[in-house]
Each structure stands twice: as C-alpha cells, then as structure tokens.
Amino acid sequence: MAYVYVPGVERFLRTLNEAGVPTAVVTSSNQEKMQNVYRVHPEFKGYFDRILTAEAFTRSKPCPDCYLLGAEVFGLPVESCVVFEDSFNGLKAGRSAGMKVVGLATTNTAEQIRDYCDEVIPDFRAFSVEKMRSLLA
C-alpha cells in the first residue's frame, strides 16, 4: 500500500506540536500492520506523542474504548478531545466517547458522514488549531 497522507495533515500535525497540543493515533490496526506504515513513512511516529494500536484495548471501534484510552493516557477529560476520523465505525466510536468529532470526507462523502460528526472536512489544508479549539469552546 502507498499510505498517502491526507493533504495538509503534516503541516497541521507540526502546528499542533508547536502549540503543545498532545496527539495520538488511535487505530484498530495492530503493531504488525503499523510496521508497514513506518517502513513507507519513517517520520510518522515523530508526528505523535502516542500511537495506540489494537493490542492496547479489547473492544474495537465502534466501541469507544480506544478513544477513552487515548484521553486517559494524556489525563484529559473527554470534553477536551477531538477525534479525526474517516470511517463510520471510527466516527461512531468518537461520538460514543463523548468527544468532538471531525469527519474526513476521504473514504466516504461529506453527505454520508455528516450526521456522525460535528464538522466535516475534505482534508487538512484549511483546518487550523484555532478551528479545532473553537470546536471545544
């Protein structure tokens, strides 16, 4: 697989890092699958404070466990967390966790995912830390 980044995500992640916003990947993929990502993108791990894979939780998306663990790892209340997701199960998991959810219209259309999230974006080019913070206000 090519593992192509969503446009603008690298800039957005750097901005989050510079602003001191903790970040995590919360994935239903296991460590073995993630090794493929790391081979294609050796810089990937450096974009995040934590990477939580399927081995870290027992129930997968759409159960909220993975996102609740993400909040717990950082000692944050769920109301302070924003989930970025493109899959229906991920959107449902973020919503069930009580977090703000930004849907990425990359795999599914904006119309298909709109009811599952607080905001829909096509990519990260026009999304900012300020916009993310406004979701939490």
Side-chain angles (χ1 to χ4, degrees):
M1 291 183 69
Y3 302 106
V4 178
Y5 285 128
V6 174
V9 72
E10 291 177 282
R11 176 204 50 83
F12 180 62
L13 290 169
R14 281 191 296 273
T15 304
L16 289 175
N17 184 273
E18 291 165 4
V21 176
T23 57
V25 170
V26 178
T27 180
S28 296
S29 294
N30 61 25
Q31 274 293 338
E32 184 179 337
K33 287 182 182 176
M34 290 304 293
Q35 292 305 317
N36 296 322
V37 174
Y38 306 148
R39 273 191 285 285
V40 175
H41 292 290
E43 75 287 354
F44 186 82
K45 285 183 183 181
Y47 286 131
F48 302 94
D49 298 302
R50 295 293 300 268
I51 297 178
L52 303 173
T53 59
E55 292 86 357
F57 41 89
T58 54
R59 296 188 308 165
S60 192
K61 300 169 188 175
C63 292
D65 302 18
C66 57
Y67 287 121
L68 295 173
L69 176 62
E72 182 182 320
V73 163
F74 293 115
L76 294 171
V78 295
E79 300 83 18
S80 297
C81 299
V82 178
V83 169
F84 293 86
E85 263 291 350
D86 67 337
S87 73
F88 287 110
N89 281 343
L91 295 165
K92 290 175 185 176
R95 178 76 79 207
S96 293
M99 299 175 178
K100 292 293 182 179
V101 179
V102 176
L104 290 159
T106 53
T107 305
N108 300 290
T109 67
E111 293 74 29
Q112 290 172 308
I113 64 173
R114 190 168 316 283
D115 292 341
Y116 298 92
C117 48
D118 299 289
E119 172 107 12
V120 177
I121 59 174
D123 55 46
F124 289 91
R125 289 181 283 200
F127 203 79
S128 65
V129 174
E130 293 75 27
K131 179 76 169 170
M132 187 182 74
R133 288 187 172 140
S134 73
L135 281 172
L136 296 170

